[in-house]
Amino acid sequence: MSQAAVIDGAGFAAGLRGRVADGVATFRNQAGRAPGLAVVLVGEDPASQVYVRSKGKATVEAGMLSFEHRLPADTAQDDLLALVRRLNADPAVDGILVQLPLPKQIDEQAVIETIDPTKDVDGFHPVNAGRLASGLDGFVPCTPLGCLMLLKDRLGDLSGLDAVVIGRSNIVGKPMAALLLRESCTVTIAHSRTRDLPEVVRRADIVVAAVGRPQMVKGDWLKPGATVIDVGINRVPAAEPGKTRLVGDVDFDSALPVAGAITPVPKGVGPMTIAVLLRNTLVSACRREGVDVSPDL
Ligand code: GUN
């Protein structure tokens, strides 16, 4: 039986990071400064600490400046908003990322809406969400943009394809659907209330799973040859007692003989998120300085 191609997200991300690093070198020559990314972490959530550390490391490796701001878990909302306003006004800062989730005393939406939309490299500000929905230039959230890059690399022109996005979050599902629509796919957004999800998924040439439910999408839900993008990162108990392992939202083993191509977990979509964050930061710096570094970022 034929097997799906396993999409090398880690390899594609490494290539993108290399192109960003080249673009950063050109930018530094022309603008006389390095692009800067500010990352704000509030509290001590272990997963967030890992993400923030890898973002900072990747930023420096790409030749950009990383400004890390770590605040205690009991930080008052006004203090966080004041920091965001300082970063908005700082000419060395091209991109601002406030790591989510935030502690419960802080209104996440208020923080997102305080970030200058022209520095919103996460693409979470309603102005950028609206620009994406309206087909205008703006910042697009990193994970869905990374998924789209993998899809276009694999499939070329997506026009006319049936795409099903499972999940309707502001961070992945909704912007993913908007991007696929922009590529002229016929887009369905499925979610927890969708009736007969397997039947809906079976129509899809492209499946993007972003629900956070371990191994939910089964191989027999897939149309043979479908391209499957698995955004899930779920930690589950491993066979060995006391150990854990990462699995996606797709049941990889049953999907492999049916799909045409599939992203693995780990080393699929995950590495793309940081690579696109660096890309968005460079694009922001270029827009601010009126510099043009590379057509294919
Ligand atoms: N938490 C999980 N993913 C993300 C992300 O892409 N951006 C931010 N700011 N926080 C996150």
Side-chain angles (χ1 to χ4, degrees):
M1 195 151 48
S2 68
Q3 280 231 122
V6 177
I7 296 172
D8 181 11
F12 191 96
L16 177 56
R17 282 170 62 166
R19 294 195 296 283
V20 170
D22 292 345
V24 167
T26 307
F27 175 89
R28 291 172 70 142
N29 273 331
Q30 296 194 18
R33 69 172 182 92
L37 173 64
V39 176
V40 181
L41 173 62
V42 186
E44 266 114 53
D45 178 63
S48 292
Q49 285 181 324
V50 172
Y51 289 137
V52 165
R53 204 173 311 125
S54 13
K55 283 168 189 170
K57 185 163 168 275
T59 305
V60 171
E61 279 171 12
M64 304 198 262
L65 298 176
S66 170
F67 308 105
E68 265 183 46
H69 295 267
R70 291 169 183 266
L71 304 178
D74 62 357
T75 296
Q77 164 144 335
D78 283 351
D79 292 336
L80 178 56
L81 295 183
L83 170 60
V84 170
R85 290 193 188 100
R86 278 206 305 283
L87 298 171
N88 284 344
D90 185 342
V93 172
D94 299 291
I96 301 170
L97 180 148
V98 179
Q99 184 68 29
L100 305 179
L102 289 165
K104 56 185 175 322
Q105 76 275 13
I106 292 173
D107 175 358
E108 243 168 50
Q109 198 57 30
V111 176
I112 289 170
E113 292 187 26
T114 300
I115 297 172
D116 178 343
T118 70
K119 295 189 176 187
D120 171 37
V121 286
D122 253 335
F124 294 167
H125 194 288
V127 164
N128 283 315
R131 293 185 70 86
L132 175 61
S134 303
L136 302 170
D137 269 351
F139 288 111
V140 175
C142 302
T143 301
L145 183 53
C147 294
L148 184 74
M149 288 177 182
L150 294 177
L151 283 168
K152 289 176 79 165
D153 181 60
R154 173 88 208 155
L155 297 171
D157 184 10
L158 308 183
S159 172
L161 295 179
D162 279 309
V164 171
V165 178
I166 315 173
R168 55 176 154 177
S169 70
N170 289 341
I171 296 182
V172 183
K174 282 184 220 163
M176 187 76 244
L179 285 169
L180 291 165
L181 185 60
R182 195 170 80 179
E183 299 297 323
S184 301
C185 290
T186 302
V187 183
T188 302
I189 306 178
H191 46 78
S192 54
R193 301 293 178 90
T194 296
R195 277 178 283 163
D196 203 356
L197 182 59
E199 203 48 49
V200 172
V201 171
R202 227 166 260 131
R203 293 201 294 265
D205 305 301
I206 293 170
V207 179
V208 180
V211 270
R213 295 244 224 132
Q215 299 169 304
M216 183 184 77
V217 176
K218 307 297 181 195
D220 64 3
W221 296 16
L222 299 172
K223 175 167 158 176
T227 304
V228 180
I229 304 292
D230 190 348
V231 182
I233 301 178
N234 308 290
R235 197 165 278 287
V236 298
E240 212 177 318
K243 298 249 164 119
T244 61
R245 68 191 179 107
L246 292 179
V247 298
D249 292 347
V250 179
D251 179 22
F252 187 82
D253 291 344
S254 70
L256 203 56
V258 187
I262 183 169
T263 59
V265 176
K267 298 192 174 169
V269 171
M272 289 300 291
T273 301
I274 288 184
V276 174
L277 174 67
L278 302 176
R279 178 244 176 230
N280 283 356
T281 303
L282 174 58
V283 168
S284 175
C286 289
R287 285 185 189 145
R288 308 179 77 72
E289 298 286 350
V291 167
D292 190 8
V293 294
S294 164
D296 58 347
L297 284 171

